[in-house]
Amino acid sequence: MRPKTGFKLAVDLLMTLALFFLMGYQFWGEIAHEWAGTGMFVLFLLHHLLNRNWYHSLFKGRYPALRILWLTV
C-alpha cells in the first residue's frame, strides 16, 4: 500500500471515530463535543484536500446510467 493511500485510510478512520464520539454528546459533555467537532471539521477539510483529484475528474468522460447512480449515491 502506498503511503498516501494509508494516510487517506487513517483520515477516514479518524473521521468515523470522531463521528461516533460526536454522537455521544450526552456522555462526554459540551467541551469535549466542541473540540471533537473542531477536529472533525479539520479532518473534513483534509479529506477533501487529499481527494481533490476526484473533483478534477468528475465531469470527464461519458455518463451512462450506472455512473450517474454511483455519483448520486
Side-chain angles (χ1 to χ4, degrees):
M1 180 184 315
R2 294 179 22 202
K4 186 175 181 182
T5 304
F7 188 65
K8 283 182 177 183
L9 287 173
V11 167
D12 290 344
L13 179 65
L14 286 173
M15 286 179 69
T16 303
L17 294 175
L19 183 63
F20 286 134
F21 186 82
L22 285 167
M23 286 191 281
Y25 171 76
Q26 64 272 17
F27 300 120
W28 317 118
E30 187 173 338
I31 303 270
H33 182 79
E34 289 175 359
W35 279 102
T38 303
M40 180 76 167
F41 181 68
V42 170
L43 288 171
F44 175 79
L45 293 176
L46 183 60
H47 172 82
H48 283 275
L49 183 68
L50 289 171
N51 294 297
R52 65 185 174 270
N53 289 334
W54 183 81
Y55 293 106
H56 293 301
S57 63
L58 188 60
F59 296 110
K60 293 181 181 177
R62 294 180 44 232
Y63 276 84
L66 185 59
R67 185 173 180 190
I68 293 171
L69 176 69
W70 276 112
L71 196 76
T72 56
V73 172

